Amino acid sequence: MPISRKFTTCATGIWPLLGILLLGGCAGRQSALAPGGEDAAQLYLIFLVMLGGAVVLWLGLNGLFLYFTQVNRGHFARRHANRIIIGAGVLLPTVVVGALLAWGLSIMPSQRAPGDGLVIRVTAEEWWWRVEYWPPGAQAPIVSANEIRFPAGSRTELQLTARTYIHSLWIPSLGGKTDMIPGRRNVMTLQPDLEGFYRGQCAEFCGASHALMAFETVVMAPDAFATWLEEQAAPASAPQGAVESRGQAIFRDEGCGACHAIRGTAFAGSVGPDLTHLASRMSLAAGIMEVEREDLMDWIAHTGDIKPEVAMPAYDWLEADELSALAAYLESLE
Ligand code: CUA
């Protein structure tokens, strides 16, 4: 290939680079480039430094390439060439990568530091998240699912494990990812600072529904969080209308309570998500649907079609009015 064509090919490498720079516009609620807390901000800084370094290296390398192919095409003394190879090819990368490693390791202790009191235990199930809040001194957890809420401005300890397969918890706007391994409890602490809504997802391929394993994250003002947690600890309210009562009877007759708990009722299953305050959550089926009538009916009747290999059977024998009543009951669980 003639040198000029080689250079053209090399120069086209600028487009992916521009693409990466444009990604800087990727704000949003699931973006490591839009940090909402201390840990994510540290990672973002590392990213910026590495990106800047990569740009400098890219420019330097292409500058040298240009220089030696277009400007100075003469021969090198062997000693001179060896110096360049050892200096730029061995010493420089060793120093740069070593410094990055030291810096990266230096921020790890804070991300594993003990929390300020609140502990949230998250268990990755197939394919959803069991979430248990342990406020300081609690004897029993406040159980929820598929949504993690944090008080802003304090460091919260996450204790992470999994039931059957290895998963990984990742809230890009709040911090790095940590594997969730059966039989092991990994600890990650996060300090979210910006109140708001963020999206998290499973970051390790775990099976057929890996891509359908997401969750909502809410960072709240500390007093609003305390009020919310108190509400979550309360039992479910009894069904108010006739439709909701019929829905509760269907829930009982179809045996839903064998897998799902609704505190304040006789339903105490622990295989599936706790539904006590289902309607207060921002999503259904782990971040993929909404807690509203149509989606609830759709989900109950077509679980396996919507989320392959999910444990919950599809209740496709229920009539539309039965599904609607069931959904009405679930919608009343605020
Ligand atoms: Cu759970 Cu991927």
Side-chain angles (χ1 to χ4, degrees):
M1 189 186 283
I3 293 229
S4 58
R5 264 199 55 209
K6 257 192 197 164
F7 179 66
T8 314
T9 316
C10 185
T12 56
I14 198 167
W15 296 114
L17 186 72
L18 277 178
I20 291 170
L21 288 175
L22 286 174
L23 281 177
C26 285
R29 56 197 209 93
Q30 187 179 336
S31 173
L33 304 181
E38 191 184 296
D39 312 276
Q42 286 174 329
L43 297 177
Y44 182 53
L45 182 61
I46 288 186
F47 166 76
L48 287 182
V49 167
M50 288 179 73
L51 181 67
V55 169
V56 168
L57 284 175
W58 186 86
L59 289 175
L61 196 64
N62 281 285
L64 283 176
F65 181 79
L66 250 184
Y67 179 73
F68 290 120
T69 55
Q70 309 291 318
V71 182
N72 179 2
R73 302 176 67 166
H75 282 281
F76 262 113
R78 192 177 189 88
R79 230 179 49 177
H80 194 183
N82 281 346
R83 267 195 209 139
I84 290 183
I85 290 171
I86 291 172
V90 179
L91 291 179
L92 182 69
T94 305
V95 169
V96 168
V97 173
L100 280 174
L101 177 68
W103 185 22
L105 289 176
S106 77
I107 68 165
M108 278 179 77
S110 74
Q111 299 184 3
R112 296 172 62 88
D116 291 332
L118 174 68
V119 172
I120 306 177
R121 253 177 228 173
V122 186
T123 308
E125 306 269 348
E126 277 65 61
W127 275 259
W128 60 280
W129 314 83
R130 185 187 302 275
V131 183
E132 297 170 327
Y133 297 84
W134 292 82
Q139 297 300 309
I142 299 159
V143 185
S144 183
N146 300 329
E147 186 172 288
I148 305 178
R149 298 203 179 210
F150 294 94
S154 57
R155 191 157 275 283
T156 296
E157 179 174 320
L158 288 161
Q159 297 182 350
L160 307 171
T161 188
R163 180 157 305 273
T164 315
Y165 307 123
I166 297 177
H167 305 255
S168 178
L169 184 124
W170 191 27
I171 312 165
S173 300
L174 298 187
K177 55 184 90 161
T178 298
D179 276 3
M180 307 171 84
I181 301 166
R184 218 189 125 86
R185 185 177 292 171
N186 283 342
V187 172
M188 167 170 71
T189 67
L190 288 177
Q191 178 164 335
D193 291 317
L194 282 183
E195 289 166 36
F197 303 93
Y198 305 96
R199 189 172 182 274
Q201 67 171 59
C202 182
E204 173 120 4
F205 181 73
C206 52
S209 286
H210 158 70
L212 301 172
M213 191 170 172
F215 59 95
E216 296 295 332
T217 304
V218 188
V219 177
M220 309 171 79
D223 46 349
F225 176 82
T227 308
W228 171 83
L229 196 57
E230 222 168 89
E231 287 165 5
Q232 292 291 308
S237 48
Q240 297 298 311
V243 180
E244 287 82 0
S245 297
R246 182 171 175 234
Q248 191 186 46
I250 296 168
F251 191 94
R252 181 195 60 222
D253 296 345
E254 294 297 335
C256 308
C259 291
H260 294 286
I262 298 178
R263 283 172 275 128
T265 70
F267 313 130
S270 61
V271 177
D274 183 296
L275 302 178
T276 308
H277 297 289
L278 173 70
S280 74
R281 294 181 203 152
M282 296 179 59
S283 80
L284 176 69
I288 61 171
M289 300 171 93
E290 283 177 39
V291 190
E292 51 90 40
R293 192 69 55 95
E294 292 291 313
D295 278 10
L296 280 162
M297 293 170 65
D298 199 20
W299 170 247
I300 295 165
H302 306 106
T303 43
D305 295 337
I306 294 169
K307 184 170 278 203
E309 293 185 13
V310 70
M312 178 170 154
Y315 287 76
D316 49 8
W317 58 84
L318 292 176
E319 302 292 341
D321 65 310
E322 292 174 308
L323 283 169
S324 181
L326 195 45
Y329 171 54
L330 295 172
E331 272 183 299
S332 75
L333 299 173
E334 288 183 340

